[in-house]
Amino acid sequence: MDQEDEEVFEIVDFTSASEWEVFTSRMEEILFSWQLSLKDKEEETTVFLGLNGEWKSSSEDISFAGHPFILTHYWVEESAEKGKRHESVVEKKGCQVFESLMDKSHDFPFNKCHSLAKFYGLTDFVIMSPAGNEMLTSEDRINLLLSSVTIAVNNVQSRVPVFVQLHSKSQQLYQGTFESKNLRTDFQMVHLKRIPPTCKHLSGLIELFKEKIGNSSINPVECSVCLTYSLCDIRNAGWDNWPQQPPDFESKGGVVGNATLSQLGFGAIKDPIKEILVSAVWNNNLNEDVVVDSEVYTDLVPIEAPLWIVRLVLNDKVPSLLIKSLCSFLDLCGAKESTEQLLGKNYTVLQSPDSPEYERALGALTKERTGYGILSSKRLPFGSKKAQTGGPIPENMLVNLLNFLFPDAEGDLEIQTHPYPEEFQSDCSASLDIKWKESFSAFKTSPVDSLVWRLATTAVYTMTHLNGIEGVAHWWHEIVLELRYRWEHGYAIPGLKTGMPDLNYCRLYQKLQMLNCCIEHKKVSTSGPPVELADEDEFYDAEETLESIEETPPKERHSAWNQPQGRKERTKMKLLRSGETLYIPVTQALLPMTEDMIEEQSEMMEQLGDNAEGSELRARILSASLLSDMESFKAANPGAQIEDFVRWHSPRDWIEEEVVTSDGCKIEGRLSGRMQTPGNLWQEMWRTAKPVVAWRQKRLFDDTKEAEKILHTFSALRPAQIASLLLPTIIHASVNRLLEELPSTTQLPDAISNCQAAISKIVQIARHSPLELQQYEDLLPTLQTVEVHLSQFNALRRKMISYENWEGVDDFVTRLLIDNYVSLPGGSHTPAGIALLRALEGLNKKDDASTLPPPVKKEFVLRAMAHRPGNGSTSSCQKMFCSIDEDSIRLAGAWTQDILFY
């Protein structure tokens, strides 16, 4: 019994599905889920799509015997725009696969598509490939998978072919199958590193094609040919074909790079164009009866080809000058070293007024010179160690830098090398389109070609070409010395808008404007009191009688201790009490304030609190200018009342009304309600105000204090802090530089959209305080994309016009950059074709200049209708693709046979 029981348990159920059957069934389920089955469909509809649409894919995981595979469906969809360009999508009854195999418009697609689309012209197919890094190299495994695929395709009646990927993925080797009714197509491929002699020309390939088809009845073999030539050696004969013009070493003091003091560097460091491929194509009305291509003779002359296709191959990750400079400058913003650590104490003695060398330095500043500033002497100032041993920046280069920043030190405007513009009206270059000017108006940086703009460009130049961070520290130290000399001697700082600090610009620009205000205020205060109206300058209205004038002689109207002073301008108003003319007084100038000063004042006001005492103190602080105006008004108008002051200073608080009296109607005035309230600040300040002329009052604006505060702050800045102050302007200058390079005659969509995105981002981050470096670093990829695109345009355009310049060269270059290929119907007889033909002839290394160099690739497509396997079989399509490189050949065949009628 035990033996019988054991025998029963050893019985195997052969009716259960094997792994191979499960694998095949799973494949069928996936094909059904993708709606690739033609079961229960009366007839297949063929949709004629090009290969230039949008390629899409969908994948599913599948395994067999523990080995994972990926089943991927690829198909192309015609976009709406391309559908319009092709007028309409044509539909008809028939097999989609066979129509695609025979469609000549699918030969040699030059856009990015799957390799199977290039080999066979297919627009819809499925690929089974090993997952991960596994490869199918065993012949048994390959045959097993192909048998599964054949069964699945037959069972589901798939409308697309299914391929199996063989060997390594880089080889792009496939085998596949497809069935439609009584026809089956086998897709086979071979890749050889050694080219058989008979396969080097079209005649030998036609013989091979016919031999593969067999002895069956065959129509004439139709051919399509593509011969590709490479212009990778186009860089010859001088700098005209270089990616950018080489620098003038003499003018740059031996410094390498194309950046100038007024412009940031721009352009690719190496040629962004790897090669230009020119393909001569024959794909219409060409068969074995009308063309000969053998080892001894050929009809395939590229010059006579009806169609040329130009393709562009770009170098990846091309380094560019602008982004390289910006990256180094952003690194500078994160540096921790101080100027003293970088250059020594001799460069920081002016940071503290208590320094023993401070007095000696000021003494050196006050010495008589022929000019002014550091530029007035060939030797550096102060007799410091720096002047003896030299700093990081060579002396001649330092003079060039400071001459560029302060051109007025060279002399009159006529002899200045780099004068500032007379007016700063624009926030971008005048050559740019109006739409860009509107975008730049929101930038909180500085006007183009202002002092801060030049500081930004020279800072980048110094960081990139003049010893890095040490050079920046030396450069800034000399600038602070120049600013101090100008403050001490009353020379205005050039390159700035006049007037009060403009809060629409960056803080560094505001600080320099404030320093200019200090210099101007100092010049006014040291020049003595302003010229005021003398008694003899007074004049009277015509209606005043001579007697009324003689009644009060000018010298006797006021007492000796109450004579009017500080009169600036005579008005038509009269003082209410005395009836004398009301004069506008000379007042102290309005207090200039920068953005950070306003913030400090706001914080101080908040700290005073909300109680009555704090409110009163806050009002008195804010009314210091009002008290000064009251004292000046009393000095200019002895005997004036507060009503007189209000009529001049705040006319809206003086209310005039028409009053009816016994003598008739007359106009009477009174103070407004807020001026008459008890404890009104104006009333109290008027009672305490004394008649003091403006130049004898306590100064509202202490120019010395503010100037020294700014200069001390400047001298104490670390190089990283200087870089942070200039960074918004540098980014502004970078975008402006890119837009200057943007061709006005053509449209590069990517470059334009990226510039717009960068401008929008800069407008946001330039107003942030404190500065966030990460936001600026996030901008670099966008700016780099623009710079690379523009460099590609400039390099390609320079190459083309060096051989032939024609009217549409910019449009040709733009189309080539956007689409990566351009069709030239007419071939060498088009303007672009003429230029490319000359380039190809220039590469010919033979003595005969009329002969072109050998092609780097030959591609052939052979197709025919044939009865396979016998003459009684249905006529079916046969196709073979052949690609011949310099050292390899690829053959891809689609062989169709009748499986019902032999």
Side-chain angles (χ1 to χ4, degrees):
M1 292 292 294
D2 293 338
Q3 293 180 353
E4 293 180 0
D5 292 340
E6 290 177 0
E7 291 178 359
V8 170
F9 283 108
E10 289 177 358
I11 295 176
V12 179
D13 185 8
F14 290 98
T15 61
S16 62
S18 64
E19 288 183 344
W20 178 70
E21 291 172 325
V22 172
F23 173 71
T24 304
S25 177
R26 173 59 181 154
M27 193 189 312
E28 293 174 8
E29 291 178 5
I30 295 174
L31 295 177
F32 272 116
S33 66
W34 286 339
Q35 299 180 357
L36 300 180
S37 173
L38 290 176
K39 274 191 174 183
D40 304 325
K41 292 186 178 179
E42 295 182 358
E43 194 171 2
E44 182 181 359
T45 301
T46 299
V47 180
F48 288 92
L49 295 173
L51 298 178
N52 297 329
E54 181 182 1
W55 282 88
K56 295 188 176 182
S57 63
S58 177
S59 300
E60 290 283 349
D61 294 331
I62 188 173
S63 62
F64 175 49
H67 297 281
F69 292 88
I70 299 176
L71 201 62
T72 307
H73 178 209
Y74 294 91
W75 73 98
V76 65
E77 285 188 358
E78 191 81 2
S79 62
E81 293 182 0
K82 290 182 178 178
K84 290 179 181 178
R85 189 159 61 237
H86 293 96
E87 296 181 356
S88 63
V89 177
V90 181
E91 295 186 6
K92 76 171 189 176
K93 302 298 181 180
C95 179
Q96 175 80 56
V97 175
F98 294 154
E99 294 293 343
S100 296
L101 289 173
M102 299 302 290
D103 190 353
K104 291 185 178 181
S105 65
H106 289 185
D107 295 343
F108 317 121
F110 295 103
N111 61 317
K112 292 182 179 180
C113 61
H114 197 277
S115 57
L116 286 176
K118 180 178 182 180
F119 299 155
Y120 299 111
L122 300 174
T123 59
D124 201 350
F125 48 87
V126 174
I127 297 177
M128 179 185 294
S129 57
N133 295 323
E134 290 192 17
M135 295 187 295
L136 284 176
T137 56
S138 170
E139 186 174 351
D140 293 337
R141 291 182 62 192
I142 293 173
N143 290 334
L144 187 60
L145 286 174
L146 285 174
S147 65
S148 299
V149 167
T150 302
I151 293 173
V153 167
N154 181 272
N155 289 343
V156 302
Q157 297 181 21
S158 174
R159 62 178 176 83
V160 300
V162 180
F163 294 85
V164 177
Q165 186 165 21
L166 314 178
H167 299 284
S168 64
K169 295 181 179 178
S170 60
Q171 271 193 285
Q172 297 181 348
L173 275 178
Y174 304 90
Q175 286 192 23
T177 185
F178 170 74
E179 290 189 11
S180 175
K181 297 180 179 179
N182 61 317
L183 297 177
R184 183 178 68 207
T185 302
D186 294 320
F187 296 90
Q188 299 173 348
M189 198 175 299
V190 63
H191 188 200
L192 303 175
K193 290 188 176 180
R194 185 176 180 181
I195 307 173
T198 57
C199 296
K200 291 183 178 181
H201 301 280
L202 179 59
S203 300
L205 292 172
I206 292 176
E207 292 300 323
L208 178 64
F209 180 68
K210 289 182 176 181
E211 184 179 330
K212 179 65 178 177
I213 294 175
N215 296 324
S216 60
S217 174
I218 181 173
N219 296 332
V221 178
E222 296 182 355
C223 310
S224 295
V225 182
C226 176
L227 304 181
T228 301
Y229 298 84
S230 173
L231 289 175
C232 60
D233 296 327
I234 197 171
R235 299 183 305 275
N236 54 13
W239 64 261
D240 287 339
N241 292 318
W242 289 18
Q244 62 186 8
Q245 183 176 352
D248 182 355
F249 294 101
E250 294 183 359
S251 65
K252 296 178 180 295
V255 177
V256 178
N258 77 333
T260 63
L261 295 180
S262 60
Q263 278 189 329
L264 299 178
F266 171 85
I269 296 177
K270 71 174 186 178
D271 194 346
I273 309 300
K274 186 175 182 179
E275 63 177 338
I276 301 173
L277 298 176
V278 182
S279 298
V281 179
W282 294 262
N283 60 354
N284 290 320
N285 303 320
L286 196 67
N287 60 53
E288 60 177 326
D289 296 332
V290 299
V291 64
V292 176
D293 178 47
S294 64
E295 188 175 356
V296 296
Y297 176 80
T298 181
D299 291 322
L300 301 176
V301 180
I303 299 176
E304 300 175 1
L307 176 65
W308 275 17
I309 303 292
V310 185
R311 285 173 291 163
L312 186 64
V313 182
L314 302 172
N315 280 315
D316 297 329
K317 298 180 180 179
V318 177
S320 53
L321 289 172
L322 179 60
I323 297 303
K324 184 180 179 181
S325 301
L326 293 180
C327 288
S328 65
F329 205 81
L330 283 172
D331 293 339
L332 173 62
C333 292
K336 303 297 182 183
E337 296 87 353
S338 65
T339 301
E340 183 175 352
Q341 291 173 324
L342 294 168
L343 304 179
K345 291 185 178 180
N346 285 323
Y347 288 84
T348 55
V349 294
L350 297 182
Q351 290 188 16
S352 173
D354 299 328
S355 171
E357 299 188 24
Y358 192 83
E359 182 177 354
R360 187 183 62 168
L362 289 179
L365 279 170
T366 56
K367 288 180 182 178
E368 184 177 357
R369 300 188 185 187
T370 56
Y372 62 88
I374 190 173
L375 304 179
S376 61
S377 174
K378 293 182 179 179
R379 190 175 64 83
L380 301 179
F382 306 127
S384 63
K385 183 178 179 182
K386 162 175 64 71
Q388 301 169 6
T389 62
I393 302 178
E395 183 176 340
N396 62 333
M397 195 64 212
L398 185 61
V399 172
N400 290 337
L401 286 170
L402 294 176
N403 269 332
F404 177 70
L405 294 171
F406 306 99
D408 55 339
E410 296 179 287
D412 295 334
L413 184 64
E414 292 77 12
I415 63 174
Q416 292 178 18
T417 309
H418 303 284
Y420 283 105
E422 295 182 1
E423 295 184 3
F424 300 99
Q425 297 180 346
S426 176
D427 294 320
C428 63
S429 299
S431 59
L432 299 185
D433 192 83
I434 185 65
K435 65 178 181 180
W436 296 115
K437 295 180 181 180
E438 295 174 356
S439 301
F440 277 103
S441 61
F443 276 25
K444 189 177 176 66
T445 53
S446 70
V448 172
D449 205 27
S450 65
L451 175 58
V452 174
W453 187 276
R454 294 191 180 187
L455 285 172
T457 57
T458 53
V460 174
Y461 186 91
T462 304
M463 181 65 188
T464 307
H465 302 290
L466 300 175
N467 294 314
I469 186 173
E470 292 86 359
V472 172
H474 186 190
W475 163 82
W476 182 250
H477 173 75
E478 299 297 340
I479 289 172
V480 173
L481 294 183
E482 180 70 21
L483 294 176
R484 175 169 288 282
Y485 187 87
R486 287 171 179 272
W487 155 246
E488 295 285 349
H489 292 75
Y491 293 105
I493 302 171
L496 302 170
K497 289 184 178 181
T498 58
M500 308 282 280
D502 193 335
L503 304 185
N504 291 318
Y505 296 117
C506 64
R507 296 196 176 188
L508 179 59
Y509 191 87
Q510 296 175 36
K511 287 291 185 184
L512 292 171
Q513 281 187 309
M514 173 64 79
L515 191 56
N516 247 355
C517 290
C518 296
I519 294 172
E520 184 64 28
H521 194 272
K522 179 181 179 181
K523 290 167 63 176
V524 171
S525 61
T526 55
S527 62
V531 178
E532 55 180 316
L533 291 175
D535 290 334
E536 56 269 18
D537 293 332
E538 296 181 4
F539 59 91
Y540 301 92
D541 295 332
E543 61 266 19
E544 295 184 12
T545 61
L546 182 62
E547 292 77 5
S548 64
I549 296 174
E550 292 177 350
E551 288 177 359
T552 310
K555 296 294 184 182
E556 298 179 1
R557 291 178 192 167
H558 306 286
S559 58
W561 59 84
N562 195 25
Q563 290 294 320
Q565 287 183 303
R567 289 178 171 178
K568 180 181 179 181
E569 185 179 346
R570 186 176 185 270
T571 70
K572 294 182 178 181
M573 292 187 291
K574 303 291 183 181
L575 298 180
L576 296 177
R577 177 180 293 179
S578 63
E580 296 181 16
T581 300
L582 187 151
Y583 286 87
I584 296 176
V586 176
T587 58
Q588 294 197 52
L590 293 176
L591 179 63
M593 298 186 74
T594 59
E595 194 171 332
D596 57 336
M597 294 172 65
I598 295 174
E599 292 176 358
E600 291 175 4
Q601 188 182 68
S602 299
E603 291 177 3
M604 182 187 67
M605 295 299 175
E606 290 178 2
Q607 294 173 358
L608 294 177
D610 297 329
N611 53 26
E613 183 179 354
S615 299
E616 183 180 356
L617 183 58
R618 188 183 299 108
R620 290 190 177 276
I621 292 174
L622 295 175
S623 302
S625 177
L626 178 63
L627 178 61
S628 172
D629 290 345
M630 286 182 174
E631 291 180 341
S632 299
F633 189 84
K634 281 188 174 183
N637 300 282
Q641 298 176 312
I642 187 173
E643 289 82 358
D644 298 316
F645 179 77
V646 169
R647 290 164 59 205
W648 165 66
H649 200 279
S650 180
R652 66 187 181 89
D653 286 309
W654 178 253
I655 301 173
E656 292 184 343
E657 297 176 340
E658 187 176 343
V659 179
V660 179
T661 62
S662 57
D663 298 332
C665 296
K666 67 177 183 177
I667 303 297
E668 292 186 357
R670 61 179 177 84
L671 295 175
S672 64
R674 77 182 185 100
M675 290 293 181
Q676 298 181 25
T677 56
N680 178 263
L681 183 63
W682 285 51
Q683 297 279 2
E684 294 181 3
M685 294 183 70
W686 180 261
R687 286 192 292 269
T688 59
K690 302 181 184 298
V692 181
V693 72
W695 54 86
R696 294 198 179 102
Q697 296 174 6
K698 179 182 178 180
R699 288 189 294 175
L700 295 176
F701 175 59
D702 191 339
D703 52 76
T704 303
K705 175 183 175 182
E706 292 298 332
E708 290 295 340
K709 182 180 177 181
I710 293 172
L711 291 172
H712 178 75
T713 301
F714 282 175
S715 62
L717 290 176
R718 293 182 289 108
Q721 294 172 316
I722 301 164
S724 298
L725 288 173
L726 291 171
L727 186 56
T729 304
I730 288 172
I731 298 296
H732 181 180
S734 301
V735 177
N736 189 80
R737 181 77 168 94
L738 293 174
L739 291 177
E740 287 177 341
E741 295 291 334
L742 190 67
S744 58
T745 57
T746 58
Q747 294 292 322
L748 294 173
D750 288 344
I752 294 174
S753 60
N754 282 318
C755 281
Q756 291 172 341
I759 290 173
S760 300
K761 187 65 175 177
I762 295 170
V763 170
Q764 298 174 9
I765 65 178
R767 296 181 180 272
H768 285 185
S769 183
L771 181 140
E772 297 182 14
L773 284 180
Q774 186 59 46
Q775 292 184 330
Y776 287 92
E777 290 176 0
D778 294 340
L779 269 175
L780 294 188
T782 303
L783 299 179
Q784 184 176 23
T785 300
V786 178
E787 184 180 15
V788 170
H789 284 179
L790 294 178
S791 300
Q792 293 167 351
F793 178 88
N794 292 338
L796 183 57
R797 185 180 187 277
R798 188 177 294 115
K799 294 176 189 298
M800 297 306 300
I801 65 176
S802 65
Y803 293 100
E804 181 73 22
N805 192 2
W806 72 96
E807 185 176 352
V809 63
D810 288 347
D811 292 337
F812 171 79
V813 171
T814 303
R815 287 169 53 205
L816 193 54
L817 284 172
I818 294 175
D819 298 331
N820 280 333
Y821 77 96
V822 174
S823 299
L824 297 177
S828 62
H829 303 291
T830 62
I834 294 173
L836 294 169
L837 181 60
R838 290 183 179 178
L840 290 171
E841 291 175 345
L843 294 179
N844 181 33
K845 298 180 181 179
K846 298 181 179 180
D847 295 335
D848 186 4
S850 63
T851 305
L852 300 181
V856 296
K857 179 182 285 189
K858 295 180 179 181
E859 293 175 296
F860 303 92
V861 176
L862 308 180
R863 54 170 58 87
M865 297 298 294
H867 300 273
R868 293 186 70 232
N871 292 333
S873 303
T874 304
S875 178
S876 56
C877 62
Q878 316 297 324
K879 181 176 182 178
M880 186 177 75
F881 169 84
C882 176
S883 175
I884 304 174
D885 297 331
E886 295 179 357
D887 55 356
S888 66
I889 181 173
R890 180 187 297 272
L891 297 172
W895 315 108
T896 308
Q897 62 181 348
D898 194 330
I899 56 178
L900 183 59
F901 299 102
Y902 292 92

